[in-house]
PDB file of all heavy atoms in Angstrom:
ATOM      1  N   ALA A 412     -17.081   6.625  -5.334  1.00  0.00           N
ATOM      2  CA  ALA A 412     -18.478   6.738  -5.678  1.00  0.00           C
ATOM      3  C   ALA A 412     -19.368   6.221  -4.440  1.00  0.00           C
ATOM      4  O   ALA A 412     -20.383   6.885  -4.149  1.00  0.00           O
ATOM      5  CB  ALA A 412     -18.931   5.894  -6.944  1.00  0.00           C
ATOM      6  N   ALA A 413     -18.872   5.259  -3.729  1.00  0.00           N
ATOM      7  CA  ALA A 413     -19.754   4.715  -2.558  1.00  0.00           C
ATOM      8  C   ALA A 413     -19.673   5.567  -1.394  1.00  0.00           C
ATOM      9  O   ALA A 413     -20.634   5.551  -0.662  1.00  0.00           O
ATOM     10  CB  ALA A 413     -19.115   3.327  -2.190  1.00  0.00           C
ATOM     11  N   VAL A 414     -18.660   6.459  -1.419  1.00  0.00           N
ATOM     12  CA  VAL A 414     -18.636   7.344  -0.200  1.00  0.00           C
ATOM     13  C   VAL A 414     -18.782   8.782  -0.598  1.00  0.00           C
ATOM     14  O   VAL A 414     -18.540   9.672   0.218  1.00  0.00           O
ATOM     15  CB  VAL A 414     -17.340   7.242   0.615  1.00  0.00           C
ATOM     16  CG1 VAL A 414     -17.287   5.854   1.187  1.00  0.00           C
ATOM     17  CG2 VAL A 414     -16.066   7.384  -0.251  1.00  0.00           C
ATOM     18  N   GLY A 415     -19.454   9.006  -1.779  1.00  0.00           N
ATOM     19  CA  GLY A 415     -19.824  10.387  -2.171  1.00  0.00           C
ATOM     20  C   GLY A 415     -18.618  11.355  -2.617  1.00  0.00           C
ATOM     21  O   GLY A 415     -18.693  12.565  -2.496  1.00  0.00           O
ATOM     22  N   GLU A 416     -17.543  10.760  -2.929  1.00  0.00           N
ATOM     23  CA  GLU A 416     -16.298  11.496  -3.451  1.00  0.00           C
ATOM     24  C   GLU A 416     -16.244  11.586  -4.883  1.00  0.00           C
ATOM     25  O   GLU A 416     -16.834  10.845  -5.715  1.00  0.00           O
ATOM     26  CB  GLU A 416     -15.116  10.886  -2.938  1.00  0.00           C
ATOM     27  CG  GLU A 416     -14.871  10.826  -1.333  1.00  0.00           C
ATOM     28  CD  GLU A 416     -14.837  12.274  -0.912  1.00  0.00           C
ATOM     29  OE1 GLU A 416     -14.141  13.104  -1.481  1.00  0.00           O
ATOM     30  OE2 GLU A 416     -15.401  12.460   0.332  1.00  0.00           O
ATOM     31  N   THR A 417     -15.391  12.620  -5.354  1.00  0.00           N
ATOM     32  CA  THR A 417     -15.210  12.826  -6.827  1.00  0.00           C
ATOM     33  C   THR A 417     -14.401  11.707  -7.447  1.00  0.00           C
ATOM     34  O   THR A 417     -13.595  11.038  -6.720  1.00  0.00           O
ATOM     35  CB  THR A 417     -14.511  14.116  -7.047  1.00  0.00           C
ATOM     36  OG1 THR A 417     -13.250  14.123  -6.529  1.00  0.00           O
ATOM     37  CG2 THR A 417     -15.334  15.319  -6.598  1.00  0.00           C
ATOM     38  N   VAL A 418     -14.557  11.462  -8.657  1.00  0.00           N
ATOM     39  CA  VAL A 418     -13.735  10.490  -9.541  1.00  0.00           C
ATOM     40  C   VAL A 418     -12.285  11.004  -9.539  1.00  0.00           C
ATOM     41  O   VAL A 418     -11.886  12.115  -9.551  1.00  0.00           O
ATOM     42  CB  VAL A 418     -14.281  10.314 -10.884  1.00  0.00           C
ATOM     43  CG1 VAL A 418     -13.332   9.587 -11.782  1.00  0.00           C
ATOM     44  CG2 VAL A 418     -15.700   9.700 -10.876  1.00  0.00           C
ATOM     45  N   LEU A 419     -11.304  10.048  -9.428  1.00  0.00           N
ATOM     46  CA  LEU A 419      -9.955  10.278  -9.571  1.00  0.00           C
ATOM     47  C   LEU A 419      -9.678  10.455 -10.998  1.00  0.00           C
ATOM     48  O   LEU A 419      -9.565   9.364 -11.726  1.00  0.00           O
ATOM     49  CB  LEU A 419      -9.194   9.194  -8.961  1.00  0.00           C
ATOM     50  CG  LEU A 419      -7.596   9.308  -9.076  1.00  0.00           C
ATOM     51  CD1 LEU A 419      -7.012  10.672  -8.641  1.00  0.00           C
ATOM     52  CD2 LEU A 419      -6.936   8.175  -8.358  1.00  0.00           C
ATOM     53  N   ALA A 420      -9.442  11.568 -11.483  1.00  0.00           N
ATOM     54  CA  ALA A 420      -9.232  11.904 -12.920  1.00  0.00           C
ATOM     55  C   ALA A 420      -7.733  11.943 -13.298  1.00  0.00           C
ATOM     56  O   ALA A 420      -7.315  11.742 -14.375  1.00  0.00           O
ATOM     57  CB  ALA A 420      -9.994  13.043 -13.424  1.00  0.00           C
TER      58      ALA A 420
END
Side-chain angles (χ1 to χ4, degrees):
V414 295
E416 293 295 322
T417 59
V418 168
L419 173 56

